[in-house]
Amino acid sequence: MPRMSTDTGSRRKSCVGCAQGKRRCNRQTPQCARCLARGLECTYVNNHAISTRKRQQQTTAQSPYFPTIESSSQSIDDLLSSLPPDELTLLGDADFLASWLPPSPTLFAVPTLLPAGDFPEVVVIDRWSTKQLLRGLKSYPEMFVRSRNTPFIHHRLYGVSLPDAMQDAFMVSASYYSRTPETEDTVLQILETKSANLARSYHTTQEELLAAVQALMLLHIIQLFDGDVRQRVLAEQNMNTLRAWTMQLQVRAGELGPMPTWQEWIFTESVRRTVIISVLIEGLYSMLKTGSCRIVRQLSVMPFTSGTSFWNISSDASWIAESYRLGSDTVLYGDFSRAFEIGRMSRKLDAFEKLLLAPCIGERDREILELEDS
């Protein structure tokens, strides 16, 4: 009898959903971690009236042009402030995370000096690293509008004419960053329409698929990290599409031949970087929502070409002169981070490499990256 009474008292402290499902509840307000991750309504017995009023306020605040979508009212700043202290730790509740993030498909295998098993499956990234990664990713849509390239979209990838998907991403991004209070509803309506149409599109070639993945990534960055609650919910609905396209892109890209042309390398390296950034977007959002990230092993075996010498080449002649050392500059993400950690990096890092290292370095070693800017 005392045991039953104690259990009942504990469940009364839990939210209604966790108590009914007989699952552990961390009793966080206004939503516990389990309900937040699953997008469920979260109510506590003593706070039901308060929760109801909050939902009514959220519904009233929705734009009259769109149907109501209920979700957590937490802003990105709120999510950041709830992160754990600046310490890299392992999280043991993998079953809970799996309920929100389905297992990632097996990646295309590449030779590695440090096998993926050497890296933890689930990690907690500290607040400083999360902010660095968030700031870097948020800059990409506006960077694309201003220069038509990003660290994952090469300046010679598309030539003069952008594919339809990238034209839509360019138009939406330009409209979003120049919006006014009078045009905001219209801009958001266009953003929702274009992202929904893009997620339903079909691609017959690798080039079309790459353009679609890059365009959806740019729109997702806006919706997930700079949009309101509604935009985040809509982006979440397309996350499975982006994940599937990303994996399909990597598998279909294959490997470079022994002596690739400059254009072949541009396409393949853009695919590599696009895949990495796509996975980072999902990992960062998982970190903000659930407080943990489970993409480390997946990222550790992803290849890319380090340094700026190849990425910034502007002519065929320069490519021919530099391509003899192409193989030595192609590394795996995991090997790259470990090499930097043990001091085997003798050159300055570019912006893309700093972004990759931000979640690996952490608050304790932030001065290492900061010294790179001096």
Side-chain angles (χ1 to χ4, degrees):
M1 291 296 293
R3 181 176 179 180
M4 183 179 298
S5 175
T6 301
D7 183 67
T8 303
S10 175
R11 290 188 184 182
R12 285 175 181 169
K13 295 178 183 178
S14 301
C15 73
V16 174
C18 289
Q20 291 177 345
K22 299 181 180 179
R23 299 299 298 271
R24 184 174 58 189
C25 180
N26 68 350
R27 299 191 283 275
Q28 175 180 302
T29 58
Q31 282 190 296
C32 73
R34 179 172 178 270
C35 291
L36 179 62
R38 295 187 171 207
L40 302 175
E41 178 183 358
C42 185
T43 57
Y44 295 86
V45 174
N46 294 332
N47 295 330
H48 181 74
I50 297 176
S51 299
T52 301
R53 285 199 301 270
K54 286 185 177 180
R55 287 198 307 277
Q56 291 172 345
Q57 291 169 0
Q58 291 172 16
T59 302
T60 304
Q62 293 289 344
S63 170
Y65 300 109
F66 311 117
T68 299
I69 294 180
E70 292 187 5
S71 181
S72 167
S73 60
Q74 287 183 294
S75 67
I76 290 297
D77 288 338
D78 293 334
L79 293 171
L80 276 172
S81 65
S82 66
L83 292 180
D86 297 326
E87 188 71 27
L88 189 64
T89 57
L90 295 181
L91 186 72
D93 197 356
D95 291 338
F96 165 70
L97 292 173
S99 67
W100 186 74
L101 286 177
S104 300
T106 302
L107 294 176
F108 180 74
V110 293
T112 175
L113 299 178
L114 292 164
D118 288 358
F119 295 87
E121 181 179 357
V122 182
V123 300
V124 174
I125 305 174
D126 65 47
R127 188 179 294 109
W128 177 85
S129 300
T130 303
K131 287 181 178 179
Q132 298 305 304
L133 191 57
L134 178 62
R135 184 175 64 178
L137 292 177
K138 283 181 64 174
S139 70
Y140 289 161
E142 190 169 6
M143 185 186 302
F144 178 60
V145 169
R146 294 184 180 278
S147 61
R148 229 188 67 147
N149 64 81
T150 70
F152 63 93
I153 303 174
H154 194 275
H155 63 279
R156 295 288 293 268
L157 177 63
Y158 294 120
V160 177
S161 178
L162 291 172
D164 291 345
M166 295 303 291
Q167 288 183 26
D168 286 345
F170 186 93
M171 178 193 68
V172 172
S173 299
S175 300
Y176 185 80
Y177 291 106
S178 61
R179 71 192 186 282
T180 65
E182 293 76 20
T183 64
E184 184 164 14
D185 279 347
T186 300
V187 170
L188 293 178
Q189 185 178 26
I190 294 173
L191 171 61
E192 294 185 16
T193 301
K194 292 298 183 182
S195 59
N197 291 342
L198 179 58
R200 291 193 296 265
S201 62
Y202 179 76
H203 325 102
T204 58
T205 67
Q206 293 182 25
E207 291 75 15
E208 290 177 353
L209 179 60
L210 176 60
V213 171
Q214 291 178 337
L216 191 55
M217 285 166 55
L218 292 170
L219 300 184
H220 264 199
I221 289 172
I222 294 174
Q223 290 181 303
L224 291 175
F225 306 129
D226 201 46
D228 57 15
V229 175
R230 176 184 175 82
Q231 296 305 317
R232 295 207 298 272
V233 172
L234 292 173
E236 285 180 2
Q237 294 172 357
N238 293 327
M239 271 188 169
N240 284 336
T241 298
L242 180 59
R243 184 186 299 115
W245 285 359
T246 299
M247 302 310 301
Q248 182 184 359
L249 180 65
Q250 186 180 31
V251 171
R252 287 171 59 178
E255 292 183 321
L256 281 172
M259 288 296 292
T261 66
W262 186 31
Q263 195 60 38
E264 287 173 340
W265 180 86
I266 287 173
F267 178 81
T268 302
E269 183 64 19
S270 296
V271 167
R272 291 169 172 171
R273 293 181 175 220
T274 297
V275 169
I276 289 175
I277 296 299
S278 178
V279 175
L280 279 174
I281 289 171
E282 182 172 347
L284 175 60
Y285 193 60
S286 172
M287 182 66 206
L288 291 171
K289 281 202 67 172
T290 70
S292 62
C293 174
R294 57 185 300 124
I295 62 167
V296 178
R297 290 185 183 176
Q298 186 177 351
L299 283 171
S300 69
V301 295
M302 290 183 174
F304 71 99
T305 305
S306 64
T308 61
S309 57
F310 285 103
W311 190 253
N312 293 336
I313 284 176
S314 58
S315 68
D316 285 299
S318 299
W319 165 256
I320 294 173
E322 294 285 344
S323 60
Y324 71 93
R325 59 182 181 84
L326 176 62
S328 61
D329 282 6
T330 301
V331 298
L332 300 182
Y333 191 160
D335 291 340
F336 172 75
S337 64
R338 289 285 175 84
F340 184 83
E341 183 181 349
I342 63 178
R344 288 169 51 191
M345 203 72 62
S346 59
R347 56 172 175 76
K348 279 190 171 293
L349 304 171
D350 63 15
F352 177 68
E353 292 172 324
K354 290 179 182 178
L355 179 81
L356 298 186
L357 286 173
C360 307
I361 295 299
E363 170 74 17
R364 291 168 297 181
D365 298 315
R366 60 184 294 184
E367 69 278 359
I368 299 177
L369 286 184
E370 292 171 350
L371 285 174
E372 287 284 324
D373 298 322
S374 60

